[in-house]
Amino acid sequence: MNETVIAIDGPAGSGKSTVARAVAQKLGLAHLDTGAMYRSVALAALRKGVETTDADAMAKLAKKTHVYVGPDGVFVDGVDSTEAIRTEEVTKAVTAAASNPRVREVMVERQRTWITNNGGGVLEGRDIGTVVCPGATVKGYLVADAEVRAQRRAAEHGDAVANDMRRRDRADSTREASPLMRADDAVEIDTTNLSIDEVVDVVVGLVP
Ligand code: C5P
């Protein structure tokens, strides 16, 4: 692979989104928030009354739902859902959606297509370095003290979302399909006491 792919994985509130966006901007690469894709499928299920635990129905829904995640927002079946995918309801529903291996299959394929179409890029998520792009140029695994992560989330999305963080991380780490984990060759970056700029510099410094 000669395109540059930067994989940024880690739990909620580790700073992935802010860092991934800044790294992409600095290097002139496209950025993809893969969490927004899983959130979009969960939102589509809520809108259409599909039970998120119904594996067959969710697999079908993932296939037929058009999801656009880009610099101008998140669009689900053409509807601007940039804010709608961040609600507490969607944050709860996304766990079941993301633990469905067939939903993941659809999303991973789209993420790989995105890499090809953009000639590389910065992808953030839970399984980028392990599943989506094991051959990524750079793999960063961001971690942070749980207390600090909860504070960051609360500042960004309010207390309810922050309180739900631990449940989500536990579910993401213990699920059978592509659990959240550090790839063997990923560089772990503890962001607890680092500024965003410092984390960005560490990631950019890893690019050969
Ligand atoms: O990144 P964000 O917190 O918005 O992701 C929402 C949820 O989507 C995560 O809690 C996780 O369950 C799921 N996810 C995933 N794999 C990814 C990105 C997100 O399972 N690559």
Side-chain angles (χ1 to χ4, degrees):
M1 189 193 308
N2 29 23
E3 66 220 338
T4 300
V5 176
I6 300 185
I8 299 188
D9 291 303
S14 57
K16 289 190 307 289
S17 278
T18 318
V19 168
R21 207 165 286 124
V23 168
Q25 197 170 12
K26 213 163 192 172
L27 298 175
L29 294 169
H31 162 245
L32 184 62
D33 172 2
T34 65
M37 297 174 69
Y38 290 97
R39 287 173 178 275
S40 295
V41 176
L43 176 66
L46 293 173
R47 281 183 178 157
K48 296 197 163 141
V50 174
E51 199 57 63
T52 53
T53 51
D54 183 338
D56 286 340
M58 285 301 287
K60 275 189 203 130
L61 182 71
K63 269 191 208 144
K64 72 174 185 205
T65 303
H66 185 269
V67 175
Y68 168 86
V69 176
D72 40 347
V74 175
F75 292 78
V76 181
D77 285 330
V79 178
D80 187 345
S81 306
T82 314
E83 277 162 32
I85 61 158
R86 305 283 165 196
T87 63
E88 202 184 337
E89 211 188 354
V90 171
T91 302
K92 283 214 150 58
V94 72
T95 303
S99 66
N100 182 327
R102 282 150 70 204
V103 169
R104 303 199 67 83
E105 215 174 282
V106 177
M107 296 300 122
V108 169
E109 198 193 311
R110 290 183 188 176
Q111 289 152 16
R112 289 181 180 152
T113 303
W114 179 92
I115 294 174
T116 306
N117 291 345
N118 287 279
V122 182
L123 292 88
E124 52 158 306
R126 305 291 189 288
D127 62 339
I128 310 301
T130 51
V131 175
V132 178
C133 193
T137 322
V138 166
K139 294 183 191 179
Y141 190 80
L142 270 48
V143 296
D145 178 78
E147 201 50 49
V148 170
R149 291 194 288 117
Q151 283 166 14
R152 287 177 186 166
R153 272 283 136 137
E156 225 180 312
H157 303 292
D159 282 336
V161 174
N163 290 338
D164 201 33
M165 200 188 70
R166 284 169 219 261
R167 174 196 65 80
R168 219 145 53 86
D169 285 345
R170 210 173 310 121
D172 288 342
S173 305
T174 55
R175 72 180 174 216
E176 221 166 287
S178 312
L180 165 68
M181 60 175 180
R182 184 177 72 80
D184 288 339
D185 54 350
V187 176
E188 185 166 307
I189 305 167
D190 187 341
T191 70
T192 308
N193 297 307
L194 296 179
S195 69
I196 289 156
D197 285 346
E198 286 170 327
V199 182
V200 170
D201 286 345
V202 173
V203 175
V204 170
L206 294 171
V207 182

